[in-house]
Amino acid sequence: MRNHKLGFVEDAAIDSFVFDEQYNTFHKYGFAADPSASAAEEDDDGMDKEDAENPATDAWLMKNRKSPWAGKKEGLQSELTEEQKKYAEEHARKKEEKAGGEKGELVADKTTFHGKEERDYQGRSWIAPPKDAKASNDHCYIPKRLVHTWSGHTKGVSAIRFFPKHGHLILSAGMDTKVKIWDVFNSGKCMRTYMGHSKAVRDISFCNDGSKLLTAGYDKNIKYWDTETGQGISTFSTGKIPYVVKLNPDDDKQTILLAGMSDKKIVQWDMNTGQITQEYDQHLGAVNTITFVDNNRRFVTSSDDKSFRVWEFGIPVVINTRERFQLNKKKRFAGHIVAGYACQVNFSPDGRFVMSGDGEGKCWFWDWKSCKVFRTLKCHEGVCIGAEWHPLEQSKVATCGWDGLIKYWD
């Protein structure tokens, strides 16, 4: 039907010469004759009065026809009709639903316990740390061989975290929407699965004593769980994707949650009230990491904008870091291929080694003092995204990858 690049143009009830004449007059002088008025004048001049009154004649039709320009000349409509009201209400309701939907899809929290029993014969919980677990030595050694593989996630594993201080359990975040916790010292089996996200889980974090844990998913939700029972305690969402979740490490501030979001903000919640108490908004890209420093008075964030920023906890203004934080140009750890992957970096507990996964499934170990590569291990098919040093057994490291496996090395 198109006969013009902008659509279909049809002839109007006006001679093209007359149109051009009026068009040019309008552009030159700013006025033009009203086409409906001129038609009426002509009719009056050359028309029989009787014909003009008789609806059956052409003369009447000529006199009473409306020109295409004859718009409605009534005033503006002030009252909405019933139909319009109904439509407006429907539109408002849909808009509200959409805004609600932005908060992130809510899925009912479910959990499955896979162990033999939740309490042993002495009544101790399955998450209680073994009494005799002590650091074997102060000196960390770099692992050489694979000692165990935990498999159970049906898609990639995006993060792993050892149980704080003891490391007798290890938590994993799956792209299959599940979070699992595994035994490290005894059976090596999955102990519990936490299901409450509708999309892949991006980050996980324990509270200081390991009794609670946080999960952040691509479904835009942050969930707070009871580690032992698997009960969901609360859910937080801003309608943006959380990339990193952390609790304030001070024992008296364990109800304060920080999350780095896809919309460049770091958002702070008071988990007791569920209220957002602070927003730190200076980054120009998504926020990827949050690290507390200076006795937890400050924290450092890194972002897709290729910068890292230092904040006083509770004060949403970046502080001038020149005197405290400078790039140590001598410390550069290279060799691994990580472009495009957020492979996590970690230290050994004694601070002597730096380690990172890479995009080719390797785990790299560098000596902190010399910055030289100490060892590489081929750990996973595809990306090795996370690596964690065991807090007590100081020569053991766990890695996780997009092949869905978690591996333990000694």
Side-chain angles (χ1 to χ4, degrees):
M1 289 295 284
R2 288 166 84 95
N3 61 0
H4 181 273
K5 67 180 180 199
L6 296 178
F8 180 69
V9 179
E10 54 187 8
D11 287 337
I14 184 169
D15 190 48
S16 66
F17 170 75
V18 177
F19 179 83
D20 287 346
E21 184 185 34
Q22 292 305 329
Y23 178 84
N24 292 332
T25 308
F26 182 78
H27 276 275
K28 194 166 180 190
Y29 300 112
F31 64 84
D34 177 358
S36 52
S38 63
E41 279 161 26
E42 279 172 25
D43 293 350
D44 285 339
D45 294 346
M47 228 185 249
D48 193 307
K49 278 272 186 316
E50 273 177 31
D51 283 357
E53 313 271 279
N54 179 2
T57 61
D58 288 349
W60 185 90
L61 282 174
M62 282 297 285
K63 187 170 162 86
N64 289 290
R65 77 183 176 139
K66 276 203 164 172
S67 93
W69 280 273
K72 289 186 175 168
K73 295 235 167 64
E74 301 103 38
L76 287 173
Q77 171 190 0
S78 55
E79 281 296 308
L80 292 177
T81 65
E82 279 307 306
E83 202 178 334
Q84 284 169 322
K85 273 187 194 152
K86 218 157 142 191
Y87 178 78
E89 280 164 18
E90 182 74 6
H91 181 71
R93 192 175 59 76
K94 276 189 184 151
K95 204 168 169 185
E96 259 173 44
E97 269 175 24
K98 196 176 172 203
E102 270 180 9
K103 272 286 159 92
E105 264 178 80
L106 276 177
V107 178
D109 297 339
K110 288 208 298 251
T111 183
T112 312
F113 182 69
H114 307 284
K116 280 195 185 129
E117 55 228 340
E118 300 199 25
R119 299 201 167 272
D120 67 5
Y121 67 97
Q122 290 180 310
R124 278 186 317 200
S125 161
W126 65 274
I127 70 162
K131 284 207 168 71
D132 50 358
K134 297 269 185 298
S136 42
N137 51 21
D138 300 335
H139 212 67
C140 294
Y141 297 93
I142 287 186
K144 296 186 177 75
R145 62 192 180 93
L146 178 66
V147 289
H148 187 69
T149 301
W150 291 284
S151 63
H153 283 291
T154 55
K155 290 185 180 164
V157 178
S158 46
I160 47 174
R161 302 280 179 263
F162 276 111
F163 194 92
K165 299 185 190 71
H166 303 280
H168 61 297
L169 298 166
I170 187 168
L171 187 69
S172 62
M175 296 177 189
D176 56 4
T177 76
K178 298 188 173 98
V179 172
K180 289 177 177 282
I181 194 164
W182 315 76
D183 177 75
V184 174
F185 291 155
N186 304 313
S187 66
K189 298 241 164 57
C190 180
M191 297 299 288
R192 192 179 272 292
T193 303
Y194 307 85
M195 295 163 282
H197 289 282
S198 60
K199 291 192 176 143
V201 185
R202 162 79 185 213
D203 191 33
I204 44 178
S205 179
F206 276 113
C207 70
N208 286 353
D209 63 3
S211 63
K212 313 274 191 305
L213 60 98
L214 285 166
T215 61
Y218 282 99
D219 59 1
K220 302 176 182 164
N221 290 323
I222 298 165
K223 298 210 162 199
Y224 188 47
W225 306 80
D226 183 297
T227 310
E228 183 182 356
T229 63
Q231 290 301 114
I233 301 168
S234 38
T235 301
F236 306 92
S237 177
T238 66
K240 295 289 182 282
I241 297 167
Y243 283 161
V244 53
V245 280
K246 275 270 191 325
L247 291 176
N248 184 310
D250 281 346
D251 283 332
D252 60 345
K253 295 194 182 77
Q254 284 276 288
T255 57
I256 297 173
L257 157 65
L258 286 179
M261 314 300 283
S262 58
D263 67 345
K264 315 168 193 153
K265 290 181 185 154
I266 301 104
V267 180
Q268 178 179 317
W269 275 274
D270 178 341
M271 292 200 295
N272 290 337
T273 62
Q275 297 297 309
I276 291 175
T277 52
Q278 195 59 272
E279 281 190 351
Y280 305 84
D281 186 6
Q282 296 248 333
H283 275 296
L284 307 172
V287 180
N288 295 317
T289 66
I290 299 172
T291 309
F292 279 87
V293 294
D294 280 352
N295 295 326
N296 309 326
R297 285 199 304 273
R298 295 179 178 171
F299 63 94
V300 182
T301 56
S302 68
S303 155
D304 283 355
D305 64 11
K306 301 188 170 77
S307 76
F308 83 82
R309 293 170 196 246
V310 183
W311 314 79
E312 295 273 354
F313 177 74
I315 302 168
V317 185
V318 168
I319 58 177
N320 185 352
T321 62
R322 293 264 154 68
E323 71 283 357
R324 296 300 309 264
F325 295 90
Q326 284 175 320
L327 177 63
N328 186 342
K329 293 206 170 89
K330 291 187 183 125
K331 296 289 182 203
R332 194 162 174 278
F333 305 91
H336 55 326
I337 294 167
V338 284
Y341 301 108
C343 294
Q344 297 149 32
V345 184
N346 260 307
F347 269 102
S348 62
D350 64 0
R352 283 175 58 233
F353 299 109
V354 179
M355 70 169 168
S356 167
D358 82 354
E360 298 178 337
K362 295 195 192 87
C363 188
W364 292 68
F365 298 88
W366 294 268
D367 182 283
W368 168 256
K369 273 210 175 97
S370 69
C371 301
K372 289 198 170 83
V373 176
F374 200 95
R375 182 170 296 150
T376 62
L377 293 172
K378 173 74 171 123
C379 298
H380 296 274
E381 294 301 317
V383 184
C384 173
I385 198 81
E388 289 263 315
W389 218 287
H390 195 283
L392 293 182
E393 301 203 327
Q394 312 232 302
S395 64
K396 291 191 174 157
V397 166
T399 60
C400 66
W402 288 5
D403 55 4
L405 301 175
I406 304 147
K407 295 187 178 181
Y408 198 32
W409 306 83
D410 187 4

